[in-house]
Amino acid sequence: MARILITSALPYINGIKHLGNLVGSMLPSDVYARFQRQRGHDVLFLCATDEHGTPAELAARSAGQTVRDYCAEQHDIQAKAGKAFGLSFDHFGRSSNAPNHQLTQHFAKVLEDNGLIEERVEKQVYSVDDQRFLPDRYVEGECPNCGYEKARGDQCDNCGRLLDPTDLKNPYSAISGSKNVELRETRHLYLLQAQLQDEIAEWVEAHPGWPQLTKSIAKKWLKEGLRDRSITRDLQWGIPVAYEGEKRAGFENKVFYVWFDAPIEYIGVTQEWALANDDVSDTEWKRWWRTDKGAEDIRYVQVMGKDNVAFHTVSFPATILGSREPWKTVDTLKSLNWLTWYGGKFSTSENRGIFMDQALELLPPDNWRWHLMANAPESDDASFTLEHFALVVNKDLADVLGNFVNRITRFCKARFGEEVPAAGEYGEDERGLIATLQKSVSAYTEYMEQMEFRKAFAELRGIWVAGNEYLQVAAPWTTIKTDEAKAAASVRCALNLIVLFAVLSRPVIPFTAEKMFAIFGLNDAEAGWPDDIAAALNRFKGGEAFIPPDVLFAKIEDEQIEEWRQKFGAED
RNA sequence: GGCGGGGUAGCUCAGUUGGUGAGAGCGCCGGAUUCAUAACCCGGAGGUCGGCAGUUCAAAUCUGCCCCCCGCUACCA
């Protein structure tokens, strides 16, 4: 039994996440965590809301709330939505909680002790009316290159020119529109990443198994050369620059930059998890993170969208390695591309796309889980359309899987009654089926191990199809006329298949798997993972009672699709 | 602009140490079947593998140039 630590990239706090965010990290990590738990491994699966930074402050302001209340409320909303989607986090924490505060202070301290942090003074745009320094993209003005009037301080959206906020003509605050802005000096802490260049490059090289996308992004940053990075910001909401409660002189109104503290929350949430389980000793969480305290054999898996890769392959490792302390670093890093909404971006402000809460108002979680994972954006950005979604759900879930369960349970009830028939022996058809499944289950398992989700679920779908093929050939509705024992054996085999399908499908469609187990009065928590298909198909010997279920998946009708298209801003 | 990813059947996508007639699912057409959610099962049609040029006995695969889409570009996260 291996010990596997799995973390999903942390969803940002400013509102409920859309389907693209879901499939970008939280859902694939959940599927993998569920799979590894069923495999019998000791899994710790963690996630948290990422709560600091300018967008949180602004979102709170526009909601008319204090940022503290806003975050608390939004955390609750995201936690509920995640639970409703079946995300099986062992703990869903908050980057604003105490453990992360302590850890972030700790890392800043040891990095400074190691000579990797220094103070630097720089000039930055300050908005007098907003009483705050403005991050580059919150300064707007006229582009010096093309004259576009709403160019952002980091880049002009019109001509694409990269800018410095001081380049802008007639700059104004994007927050309030105020033109009362000026350059002010401000003091920040810099993490001297350049000194860690070789060390991080070596660490990256030591992980040849990372996906192509992950490696190329990491190597690109290293090739360009790591730059020292400012790790503090002029904000109120965040982790104060104050070691052990002692505020640092000149940093009274500053906090650590959200990208400095957010990855540290992976460790913080592990402490939160331990505390939630009444372990205050510090020993339990360290078993997952400190290689000198029992974490030397941990396999650590991170899952994230491609925008997060640089921070996980370069920035966070700089923090960890620079501490000179024996922290566990990531072993396997799965990165995904974007899911697009009809080829364009999901957008809250323009009401384009479906968000997690809305999705569940339309259909149960497994419909979404299946489609998103079977079509996960692994090799490239993938397009989500309602039409494709309906097609996939109707075909894979309703016609192939749902119908299989329905047809055999109904047939059995009609001809043999509501218990597994005991007569007859397995013959050629069953041996053929077992041989087929032995291969495809093995392939499916391997794809899941590799986190090749599209391939895995194409294989799983093939396994469901094999059930229908088997029934077609065995045709108990025909054989029962001449050989009732043979028909009984076929039905018994098919009923056993339902349980096998439930076990194999559980990582991706857990709610449906539970229903399938319930047909036979089984508890899905007992699900393991089948190595021996013949044994799995001999689980029921005959005589076991069952209750034919309602239809597992209703079909999506064209009228529904049209209605949703209108509601969610679908285009062509 | 720079860097990275991608452009393969109507749709969504597999497919690189270059080599048996280019694949899957869906959709479409046909057949078979009737246990089942007009479901399942079998078969078929359908592609100048973004464009041009080159290397090679042989290119979806390697090289060069070009076109298009997406992402990142360190103070959005």
Side-chain angles (χ1 to χ4, degrees), chain A residues 262-283:
Chain A
I264 295 173
E265 170 64 4
Y266 289 140
I267 307 173
V269 68
T270 313
Q271 278 194 53
E272 292 182 59
W273 160 79
L275 290 170
N277 289 288
D278 298 322
D279 181 283
V280 293
S281 66
D282 272 0
T283 56

Side-chain angles (χ1 to χ4, degrees), chain A residues 166-465:
Chain A
T166 54
D167 296 335
L168 295 171
K169 296 176 185 171
N170 303 316
Y172 60 88
S173 161
I175 297 167
S176 63
S178 167
K179 296 197 170 180
N180 193 4
V181 298
E182 60 191 38
L183 276 185
R184 283 193 186 178
E185 286 200 337
T186 180
R187 181 180 299 267
H188 284 299
L189 295 182
Y190 272 74
L191 178 60
L192 306 183
Q193 294 187 134
Q195 292 185 23
L196 296 164
Q197 167 91 26
D198 293 345
E199 203 172 330
I200 291 171
E202 199 175 305
W203 177 76
V204 168
E205 289 298 329
H207 295 82
W210 285 353
Q212 181 60 32
L213 182 66
T214 302
K215 278 188 291 190
S216 57
I217 292 174
K219 285 180 180 174
K220 177 215 152 195
W221 277 51
L222 289 164
K223 189 178 167 191
E224 290 179 0
L226 292 190
R227 289 180 234 160
D228 297 338
R229 190 170 71 107
S230 161
I231 57 165
T232 51
R233 293 291 182 277
D234 291 284
L235 286 177
Q236 298 303 310
W237 176 240
I239 296 178
V241 185
Y243 184 65
E244 291 184 342
E246 196 87 1
K247 285 206 176 182
R248 187 186 188 101
F251 287 78
E252 291 81 1
N253 293 311
K254 299 175 198 291
V255 297
F256 284 104
Y257 174 40
V258 57
W259 258 119
F260 183 69
D261 79 66
I264 295 173
E265 170 64 4
Y266 289 140
I267 307 173
V269 68
T270 313
Q271 278 194 53
E272 292 182 59
W273 160 79
L275 290 170
N277 289 288
D278 298 322
D279 181 283
V280 293
S281 66
D282 272 0
T283 56
E284 188 54 30
W285 72 265
K286 283 185 177 172
R287 288 182 61 240
W288 293 90
W289 276 102
R290 290 286 294 232
T291 55
D292 59 338
K293 302 278 172 78
E296 63 284 341
D297 62 341
I298 295 286
R299 179 172 162 228
Y300 180 22
V301 180
Q302 292 179 341
V303 184
M304 70 200 68
K306 61 182 168 183
D307 57 330
N308 270 312
V309 172
F311 295 98
H312 288 76
T313 55
V314 175
S315 307
F316 185 45
T319 300
I320 293 283
L321 298 175
S323 75
R324 308 298 176 212
E325 295 175 337
W327 296 99
K328 179 68 196 164
T329 57
V330 65
D331 298 301
T332 304
L333 201 153
K334 171 76 175 177
S335 52
L336 290 98
N337 289 276
W338 299 127
L339 187 71
T340 65
W341 174 254
Y342 288 84
K345 287 183 180 177
F346 276 82
S347 166
T348 317
S349 56
E350 294 168 38
N351 192 31
R352 282 160 42 83
I354 299 182
F355 290 73
M356 285 170 71
D357 51 346
Q358 299 169 324
L360 295 182
E361 287 168 13
L362 306 183
L363 290 169
D366 283 354
N367 290 261
W368 304 102
R369 290 177 63 108
W370 172 256
H371 177 265
L372 291 172
M373 291 309 299
N375 298 282
E378 291 185 299
S379 60
D380 194 6
D381 292 353
S383 175
F384 179 94
T385 68
L386 289 166
E387 291 77 4
H388 191 239
F389 169 68
L391 228 44
V392 166
V393 166
N394 287 347
K395 192 68 193 174
D396 296 351
L397 297 183
D399 293 349
V400 177
L401 177 61
N403 183 49
F404 173 81
V405 172
N406 193 45
R407 67 194 294 202
I408 193 60
T409 50
R410 287 182 146 229
F411 179 75
C412 183
K413 180 183 177 182
R415 307 306 297 268
F416 294 98
E418 291 181 291
E419 66 176 43
V420 180
E425 301 291 328
Y426 285 176
E428 269 316 300
D429 293 340
E430 288 73 24
R431 282 192 285 277
L433 172 69
I434 287 165
T436 300
L437 289 181
Q438 198 72 54
K439 276 185 200 163
S440 45
V441 168
S442 162
Y444 172 53
T445 304
E446 186 54 31
Y447 284 136
M448 287 290 273
E449 284 286 357
Q450 300 301 321
M451 290 192 276
E452 295 260 15
F453 295 115
R454 286 183 94 116
K455 290 177 181 172
F457 295 122
E459 200 68 48
L460 177 58
R461 185 187 182 286
I463 289 169
W464 297 338
V465 168

Side-chain angles (χ1 to χ4, degrees), chain A residues 494-562:
Chain A
L495 291 172
N496 271 298
L497 275 176
I498 293 178
V499 176
L500 176 64
F501 289 175
V503 170
L504 295 172
S505 309
R506 188 166 177 263
V508 63
I509 47 172
F511 297 96
T512 304
E514 190 178 352
K515 285 187 196 171
M516 291 164 74
F517 281 109
I519 293 169
F520 302 97
L522 299 174
N523 184 342
D524 72 321
E526 296 164 18
W529 200 258
D531 291 319
D532 182 346
I533 302 302
L537 295 186
N538 280 291
R539 175 173 189 150
F540 296 141
K541 309 287 189 190
E544 296 84 356
F546 72 91
I547 301 167
D550 294 334
V551 163
L552 290 178
F553 297 98
K555 292 219 192 191
I556 299 169
E557 307 293 337
D558 291 347
E559 300 78 60
Q560 290 175 285
I561 299 174
E562 188 46 41

